[in-house]
Amino acid sequence: MLKQLRIALIITAVAIAIGGALVGRYLLSNQLSIPPAPGVKGIFLLHDPPALNQTATLTYVITPRTLGRENELSCSVGIVLPEGFVWVGEIPEGRTIVDNRTLLENITLVLNQPIEISGTIKAVQTGVGWHIRAYGLMAGGGSGFGSHLYVTVTENSAWVENAPSSPPLKNENLQPLPFTSVPRPPLSVNLSLSDPPVLGRVVDLSCDIESAFDAPDVTAQVELPDAFAVVSGDKSWRGKIEKSSKVEFTLKVKALEVGDYEIRTLAELVNGEHRLKDRSYLYVEVGENDASVSYAPPPPKLELVELSESEIPPEYRETARTQLQSSSLTITGRVLYKDEHDYSRPLKWAKIKIFDKEWWGWSLLTELLTDANGEFTYGPISNVDSEFGESGTLDIVVQIFAQNGIVNVKSPGWLGGTYYATWYDSYDVPDGVLDLGNVLLGADETQQGIGRILTYVNNAWEYLYDTVNYDMPEITVEYPTAGTGYVVYYLWGIEIGKWIEVEVGYNRSRDILQHEYGHYIMHMIRGVVQPPDYIENHFIESASNATTAWSEGWADFYPLAVQNDPYWAWGCCENFMHAHYGGRIGLELDADMLWFDTGDTVEGRVAASLWDIIDSNNDGSDTISLPFSNIWVLFSDTTRSFNTFAEFWQQWRSIYSGNAEIVHGAKAAIYQNTIDYNWWTPWCSIENLTGTW
């Protein structure tokens, strides 16, 4: 541990030398696995966010609830403004402002005594989601904390968000960050507000409903919290929507109370073979003089729920860990998550960190992953606390992290951190077996989405590794966000970050998560994020263009392969009555796809063609069943160029030219999906007396 501290001090010195003292120290300390400061919470206050060229007071409140064994600790704090803001006004003694944007100050934290750091900021540029960050580093580098705030600035107004998002306020001049989008459900609904709903202000609440086909009887219902009143208009709508068209209904509402609220709407269609639902959510923070609106709720604090043995599925109750014996110390436990059907399941490959608390901070004893049963066991180890200045037995902290080398589930934004929860925290743990029992990851729908995301991405990685022995690098998933997609961020033409964004409404959809992982695979293997003529507003069943259909068709196909299931679902499952049902489309039977557009510009046809090449079900002209590796051999060959499904097919013919069964069997499967690449070409050459035909 002493070696680790020396490394931290050396890196800190380098960071100070290059002028990035606080930021460099905090980020590099995190890379050395120094844990967040337990019980120290920082909150931004910006009650009157400034429009362009206006000023406002920004306050950062730090509240130390616990400080380990200390009552006071020194702390270095920094507040970093984005380029859209600058610090203005007088600089108090003991505070440093670097380049008008970074505030640095040393403070002393006293247990249960909040400290406020305030300053005046000025908005100098308009922009969406300007990111204001705060860092804190405890004395000695033992732990740290951080907070973030997102401010959207226009010429005449501004508003605050707790998470980055494309704003759900109607303003044509504001553009969200572009990224690959999920396929739109055939019936989709979206809520928006005309203005931030400050207390007592009347604003327009609009509900847009769009259908990919003729929908003769659609219903929509807006659900308002009790703190909002309808001034005029109707909360419900019923009517017909023509193919590829949109209807909108608007009501005027006002907020009656200050607080945080959720506004939502549900659209439904039940018509013959079409049984569809879609939902839209707005998260509103109402104040007396300001308000914020987001499509994403604030990032949750991850909590654990203790489960009794009777709450565990029977097949997981009897385990070897209950028989463990130890004369020193062995630590064991089991983690579960709620799956898309709300069943408790073992959480595989969650990271467990176990620390011994020392007088100077926390010493990491081990990192390990839960097994397929959701269990971990560490030990036996010596239970003597022999560190300098310590005595007695070990002081144990056990934490669960939503990160495992495959996926890192974190809160949104550059300062967002990996989700974690403290499972156990005690001084002088007695000898023997410390059985932590069974815990459920997450106490509500938003929190429980973290375990689902971890599981679904694990499955997507595992399929590729098991079938073709390819180990994808770890991918970051930001959750909850305003939209869902695969994002790649460039600065001056250089890629500086990539991640998947997931909104709360899609945390139950395996298909959506693994669709975005499919985009990640295409980016890492083929170098393609968005084709140049990418169509963002795309549907599985509708024609777009050849490049979009190939990019999205591959991503639509990948979850079918992972789950060995030809049904594509936007929600939790295929049960229409489930509260989180979101509609489904079958990509196997002709009867499920009669209303699809035809040809290789339809992403659903491309996905179904790839599926028919590998599936074991014979239907129509599809009688082939190849392993996924046949597709992967071509897909991963970067010496071969293809940006459309037609070009992929030409390369397929080339790479398998010596195997007529593979070529013509695949061609038949493609033809089955209305993509005709000269289907009637003979299977072999026919010779006569005068030569070859």
Side-chain angles (χ1 to χ4, degrees):
M1 194 64 211
L2 186 58
K3 180 179 179 182
Q4 185 178 8
L5 286 175
R6 291 198 190 104
I7 295 173
L9 291 172
I10 292 170
I11 295 177
T12 300
V14 173
I16 294 173
I18 62 175
L22 188 64
V23 175
R25 286 167 65 191
Y26 181 73
L27 293 180
L28 290 169
S29 293
N30 269 353
Q31 292 173 11
L32 291 172
S33 299
I34 296 177
V40 179
K41 184 176 182 180
I43 299 176
F44 276 117
L45 299 177
L46 183 59
H47 292 301
D48 191 14
L52 183 64
N53 294 322
Q54 300 298 309
T55 61
T57 300
L58 176 66
T59 302
Y60 188 51
V61 182
I62 305 167
T63 305
R65 297 300 186 192
T66 62
L67 295 174
R69 295 179 175 179
E70 307 295 333
N71 289 322
E72 293 186 8
L73 277 179
S74 297
C75 176
S76 298
V77 177
I79 303 175
V80 183
L81 300 180
E83 60 185 81
F85 288 88
V86 295
W87 293 102
V88 295
E90 296 184 2
I91 302 175
E93 184 177 351
R95 179 178 298 176
T96 302
I97 304 292
V98 180
D99 296 331
N100 292 327
R101 286 177 51 198
T102 302
L103 178 154
L104 303 175
E105 186 167 344
N106 294 320
I107 61 174
T108 299
L109 296 178
V110 180
L111 190 64
N112 293 322
Q113 293 186 15
I115 294 180
E116 293 187 3
I117 300 176
S118 296
T120 303
I121 61 173
K122 180 178 181 179
V124 294
Q125 292 184 36
T126 59
V128 177
W130 287 120
H131 185 187
I132 300 175
R133 299 168 290 169
Y135 302 90
L137 182 68
M138 314 303 285
S143 57
F145 57 91
S147 305
H148 52 85
L149 189 71
Y150 299 87
V151 184
T152 293
V153 176
T154 69
E155 292 186 359
N156 301 311
S157 65
W159 59 89
V160 173
E161 302 176 67
N162 290 318
S165 69
S166 51
L169 300 172
K170 294 199 169 182
N171 187 326
E172 299 300 326
N173 296 319
L174 299 176
Q175 299 296 324
L177 181 70
F179 56 86
T180 61
S181 55
V182 299
R184 296 280 300 279
L187 181 72
S188 59
V189 63
N190 186 66
L191 284 173
S192 61
L193 285 166
S194 59
D195 296 285
V198 174
L199 183 67
R201 176 191 290 176
V202 177
V203 296
D204 289 340
L205 175 63
S206 298
C207 180
D208 299 327
I209 315 168
E210 187 173 0
S211 178
F213 50 83
D214 289 331
D217 188 14
V218 177
T219 60
Q221 179 72 41
V222 174
E223 299 178 25
L224 290 173
D226 293 339
F228 275 74
V230 177
V231 177
S232 64
D234 199 330
K235 293 190 292 183
S236 62
W237 178 89
R238 182 171 185 173
K240 176 182 178 180
I241 305 177
E242 296 181 352
K243 179 179 179 180
S244 301
S245 64
K246 182 188 297 184
V247 299
E248 177 182 290
F249 68 97
T250 301
L251 54 154
K252 293 186 180 294
V253 301
K254 69 176 179 179
L256 305 177
E257 299 178 16
V258 171
D260 297 333
Y261 305 104
E262 177 185 279
I263 301 173
R264 55 190 173 187
T265 188
L266 170 67
E268 292 185 273
L269 168 67
V270 180
N271 176 40
E273 72 275 16
H274 301 308
R275 300 169 63 86
L276 303 171
K277 293 181 182 180
D278 192 36
R279 300 165 182 79
S280 182
Y281 302 86
L282 289 180
Y283 300 91
V284 183
E285 183 178 356
V286 177
E288 293 183 359
N289 301 307
D290 65 348
S292 66
V293 186
S294 175
Y295 283 122
K301 178 182 178 182
L302 184 56
E303 300 173 89
L304 302 175
V305 178
E306 291 188 10
L307 299 178
S308 66
E309 197 71 14
S310 63
E311 296 175 281
I312 308 301
E315 61 268 32
Y316 305 118
R317 291 179 189 170
E318 296 299 329
T319 61
R321 69 186 180 88
T322 59
Q323 307 300 321
L324 289 171
Q325 299 294 328
S326 174
S327 58
S328 48
L329 178 63
T330 297
I331 306 172
T332 184
R334 175 167 44 198
V335 188
L336 298 99
Y337 77 104
K338 288 282 190 183
D339 72 3
E340 63 268 40
H341 306 286
D342 290 316
Y343 298 138
S344 295
R345 302 293 185 197
L347 183 57
K348 179 181 178 180
W349 295 343
K351 180 183 288 186
I352 304 295
K353 288 188 177 183
I354 301 177
F355 301 90
D356 176 25
K357 293 191 290 186
E358 311 291 359
W359 63 270
W360 45 262
W362 293 4
S363 173
L364 180 65
L365 297 178
T366 190
E367 291 184 11
L368 65 165
L369 300 180
T370 56
D371 61 19
N373 245 5
E375 297 180 326
F376 79 92
T377 298
Y378 174 59
I381 60 171
S382 170
N383 195 25
V384 177
D385 202 341
S386 58
E387 190 76 20
F388 176 77
E390 297 286 342
S391 61
T393 58
L394 297 176
D395 308 319
I396 295 295
V397 176
V398 181
Q399 294 183 325
I400 306 172
F401 287 77
Q403 182 182 20
N404 56 14
I406 295 171
V407 57
N408 176 20
V409 189
K410 62 182 284 292
S411 55
W414 294 105
L415 192 58
T418 300
Y419 284 109
Y420 75 96
T422 299
W423 189 352
Y424 182 84
D425 185 346
S426 181
Y427 290 101
D428 294 325
V429 175
D431 292 344
V433 177
L434 175 59
D435 190 343
L436 302 181
N438 308 292
V439 291
L440 179 71
L441 196 71
D444 57 30
E445 171 66 17
T446 303
Q447 295 180 40
Q448 289 165 6
I450 296 168
R452 289 190 278 267
I453 292 169
L454 193 72
T455 299
Y456 303 160
V457 176
N458 282 345
N459 296 157
W461 174 91
E462 192 172 15
Y463 177 80
L464 201 62
Y465 187 80
D466 287 347
T467 55
V468 295
N469 197 32
Y470 192 86
D471 182 2
M472 287 288 291
E474 183 179 83
I475 182 64
T476 293
V477 176
E478 295 197 349
Y479 169 84
T481 52
T484 299
Y486 176 59
V487 182
V488 181
Y489 196 85
Y490 294 89
L491 181 63
W492 298 311
I494 301 173
E495 180 187 313
I496 63 171
K498 52 183 172 288
W499 61 90
I500 294 171
E501 294 185 353
V502 180
E503 58 201 277
V504 169
Y506 282 145
N507 76 52
R508 289 175 180 261
S509 175
R510 292 176 184 264
D511 292 327
I512 293 292
L513 265 294
Q514 293 167 2
H515 170 98
E516 297 308 333
Y517 198 85
H519 279 301
Y520 172 50
I521 293 172
M522 179 171 276
H523 176 213
M524 296 299 291
I525 302 300
R526 306 292 313 170
V528 175
V529 182
Q530 283 183 348
D533 53 351
Y534 181 75
I535 297 176
E536 184 173 336
N537 191 29
H538 57 92
F539 297 84
I540 283 183
E541 69 280 357
S542 301
S544 52
N545 59 37
T547 55
T548 300
W550 166 241
S551 172
E552 294 296 334
W554 162 265
D556 293 341
F557 155 71
Y558 191 69
L560 308 186
V562 172
Q563 300 167 46
N564 192 29
D565 180 3
Y567 284 95
W568 218 99
W570 281 267
C572 69
C573 53
E574 299 169 10
N575 178 7
F576 180 77
M577 301 307 296
H578 195 286
H580 295 277
Y581 176 86
R584 70 168 192 164
I585 290 180
L587 296 178
E588 170 68 26
L589 303 177
D590 288 343
D592 291 331
M593 304 170 66
L594 291 176
W595 50 289
F596 279 33
D597 291 340
T598 60
D600 62 7
T601 61
V602 182
E603 62 180 87
R605 297 291 186 182
V606 172
S609 296
L610 294 170
W611 167 252
D612 277 342
I613 289 172
I614 70 169
D615 79 322
S616 58
N617 183 49
N618 294 337
D619 62 299
S621 60
D622 166 32
T623 59
I624 196 171
S625 180
L626 297 175
F628 175 79
S629 57
N630 281 86
I631 292 177
W632 183 257
V633 165
L634 174 55
F635 185 87
S636 60
D637 186 350
T638 57
T639 66
R640 296 177 180 270
S641 176
F642 45 88
N643 296 300
T644 66
F645 188 60
E647 293 171 353
F648 175 84
W649 170 247
Q650 291 302 318
Q651 294 294 341
W652 181 278
R653 290 182 58 194
S654 172
I655 199 171
Y656 293 117
S657 59
N659 192 322
E661 182 179 357
I662 289 180
V663 171
H664 290 282
K667 186 188 291 186
I670 293 169
Y671 182 79
Q672 166 83 4
N673 290 285
T674 75
I675 300 175
D676 186 358
Y677 291 149
N678 190 22
W679 157 236
W680 293 112
T681 300
W683 276 50
C684 57
S685 61
I686 303 174
E687 295 185 2
N688 62 15
L689 294 176
T690 59
T692 302
W693 290 8

